[in-house]
């Protein structure tokens, strides 16, 4: 088991006029090697929650265990936790600050106190994993496109060789191709390198295609926690909290309402295409 979150509560500005209960009794577990999505509208508590997971915020109450040990127990080294649980922030600008990309990616492993040779080896490997080759090494992070900045920010975390990576809205502001590239790379890190992944996203389409499990946050409460198919069954409740299920869900429901017997657990365009083709072929055979 990678992470256990137990009855987590967090209040901003406790006792002040700006008091805001951002997390309300949130509990969940993430297993080693899982690929989990976290979704919810703006202000639902996603960023607050994930900042707890690598010790950046301390809860008002509740506990977090990493590999069975409470990260708040006496003597626990949060610095070690942060090298095992890497956090890629919502705005890569906050994470990129060195003069060139290579130096930027070296920052984390250097900070771990590793020898220079090992630092550079890790940086090269991490940049390769996110598809940034040597021609980028000496460029300034500020010259990059949005998608490239995100990839460098991800490489900076990967160079620490984490066991788990948490990404806060890595696809925000990217075009569909950029979104697919980033998510495809994250998926490979999970499937081929065994990294445990928690990815925050606004997009149900992204979630349906990539993750094993979705947690839905609403107003500081964990509302759903299940496979994408099970979560999207609640598309009406999702709509009520400002989240639409993937568009294909509506196409499928519309067909069913007209009496076409199509599987109602379809969540991706590819699955829908196959199901519609199968129905079409069946009908042609009958004729
Ligand atoms: P999300 O990432 O889902 O958009 P956040 O975790 O950023 O949500 O915010 C959850 C709630 O906490 C919101 O109501 C937000 O306004 C409030 N909040 C977030 N950060 C702060 C802060 N630094 N001070 C006070 N309130 C905050
Ligand atoms: Mg956020």
């Amino acid at each position: 088991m990678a992470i256990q979150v137990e009855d987590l509560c967090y209040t901003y500005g406790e006792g002040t006029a700006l008091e805001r209960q951002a997390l309300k009794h949130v509990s969940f577990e993430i297993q080693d090697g899982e690929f989990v999505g976290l979704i919810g509208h703006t202000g639902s508590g996603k960023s607050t929650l994930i900042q707890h997971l690598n010790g950046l915020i301390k809860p008002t109450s509740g506990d977090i265990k990493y590999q069975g040990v409470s990260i708040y127990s006496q003597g626990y080294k949060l610095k070690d936790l942060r090298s095992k649980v890497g956090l890629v922030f919502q705005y890569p600008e906050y994470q990129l600050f060195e003069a060139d990309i290579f130096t930027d990616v070296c920052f984390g492993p250097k900070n771990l106190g590793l020898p220079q040779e090992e630092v550079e080896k890790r940086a090269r490997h991490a940049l390769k994993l996110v598809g940034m080759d040597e021609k980028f090494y000496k460029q300034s992070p500020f010259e990059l496109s949005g998608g490239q900045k995100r990839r460098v920010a991800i490489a900076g975390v990967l160079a620490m060789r984490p066991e788990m990576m948490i990404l806060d809205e890595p696809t925000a502001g990217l075009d569909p191709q950029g979104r697919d590239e980033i998510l495809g790379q994250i998926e490979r890190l999970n499937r081929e390198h065994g990294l445990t992944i928690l990815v925050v996203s606004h997009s149900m389409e992204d979630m349906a295609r990539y993750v094993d499990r979705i947690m839905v946050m609403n107003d500081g409460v964990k509302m759903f926690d299940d496979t994408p198919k099970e979560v999207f069954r609640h598309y009406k409740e999702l709509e009520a909290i400002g989240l639409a299920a993937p568009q294909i869900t509506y196409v499928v429901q519309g067909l069913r309402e007209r009496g076409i017997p199509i599987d109602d657990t379809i969540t991706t365009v590819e699955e829908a295409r196959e199901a519609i083709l199968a129905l079409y072929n069946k009908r042609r055979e009958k004729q």
Side-chain angles (χ1 to χ4, degrees):
M1 178 105 50
I3 278 198
Q4 285 162 280
V5 171
E6 295 166 1
D7 208 21
L8 207 68
C9 293
Y10 186 76
T11 306
Y12 284 106
E14 200 160 23
T16 72
L18 298 171
E19 186 168 301
R20 166 86 198 171
Q21 213 185 337
L23 297 176
K24 302 169 187 169
H25 304 282
V26 175
S27 299
F28 60 86
E29 296 176 352
I30 295 177
Q31 312 291 332
D32 288 311
E34 256 194 304
F35 189 171
V36 180
L38 179 64
I39 198 160
H41 61 73
T42 304
S44 59
K46 306 180 299 294
S47 295
T48 305
L49 176 59
I50 62 174
Q51 288 176 72
H52 279 83
L53 302 182
N54 81 343
L56 285 175
I57 303 183
K58 239 187 135 179
T60 308
S61 63
D63 196 11
I64 296 177
K65 294 196 178 87
Y66 187 68
Q67 306 297 4
V69 182
S70 169
I71 67 171
Y72 308 115
S73 52
Q74 219 187 350
Y76 195 91
K77 292 196 181 69
L78 286 175
K79 196 179 169 215
D80 289 350
L81 178 72
R82 283 180 199 138
S83 65
K84 287 180 199 146
V85 180
L87 182 58
V88 182
F89 287 91
Q90 187 161 358
Y91 304 102
E93 286 75 9
Y94 294 174
Q95 223 156 343
L96 306 174
F97 44 82
E98 297 284 358
D100 67 79
I101 286 165
F102 194 70
T103 314
D104 214 293
V105 176
C106 285
F107 178 83
K110 203 169 176 176
N111 216 19
L112 290 177
L114 297 167
Q116 187 60 20
E117 201 180 323
E118 175 67 15
V119 167
E120 291 185 10
K121 190 176 137 204
R122 284 187 176 203
R124 276 194 296 274
H125 185 61
L127 281 160
K128 197 168 166 216
L129 283 175
V130 298
M132 302 283 285
D133 61 32
E134 284 179 24
K135 72 172 188 282
F136 290 105
Y137 283 12
K138 290 291 153 208
Q139 275 194 37
S140 157
F142 305 99
E143 291 166 4
L144 302 177
S145 72
Q148 288 168 334
K149 275 187 195 152
R150 284 229 167 66
R151 287 201 251 164
V152 175
I154 292 171
V157 169
L158 286 174
M160 312 270 282
R161 301 269 164 93
E163 298 164 350
M164 176 170 183
M165 191 160 66
I166 302 172
L167 303 106
D168 200 353
E169 313 233 14
T171 60
L174 300 184
D175 59 28
Q177 195 193 338
R179 288 211 299 268
D180 276 341
E181 275 172 21
I182 288 280
L183 288 166
Q185 255 143 14
I186 296 168
E187 184 179 43
R188 273 197 296 283
L189 291 169
N190 173 256
R191 309 277 184 237
E192 292 169 19
H193 300 270
L195 220 67
T196 308
I197 306 275
L198 177 63
V199 60
V200 177
S201 175
H202 256 88
S203 162
M204 288 290 195
E205 317 277 341
D206 290 351
M207 293 284 162
R209 287 187 52 193
Y210 292 96
V211 305
D212 303 322
R213 175 155 72 96
I214 295 179
M215 297 195 283
V216 179
M217 291 291 296
N218 180 41
D219 196 19
V221 175
K222 189 186 82 173
M223 194 170 171
F224 297 113
D225 184 352
D226 215 324
T227 60
K229 284 188 196 315
E230 287 305 316
V231 170
F232 298 147
R233 265 185 212 278
H234 301 277
Y235 68 100
K236 292 205 169 116
E237 288 150 276
L238 292 172
E239 252 171 47
I241 59 162
L243 296 172
Q247 294 216 303
I248 198 68
T249 311
Y250 297 90
V251 174
V252 169
Q253 295 302 335
L255 290 172
R256 285 176 66 83
E257 278 161 24
R258 283 168 208 193
I260 296 168
I262 186 167
D263 176 5
D264 71 343
T265 65
I266 286 168
T267 54
T268 68
V269 172
E270 290 75 16
E271 287 171 350
R273 182 190 57 210
E274 294 309 312
I276 290 168
L277 268 175
L279 286 169
Y280 177 77
N281 287 333
K282 218 161 149 188
R283 178 172 283 205
R284 273 220 317 210
E285 277 164 23
K286 274 193 197 149
Q287 277 167 358

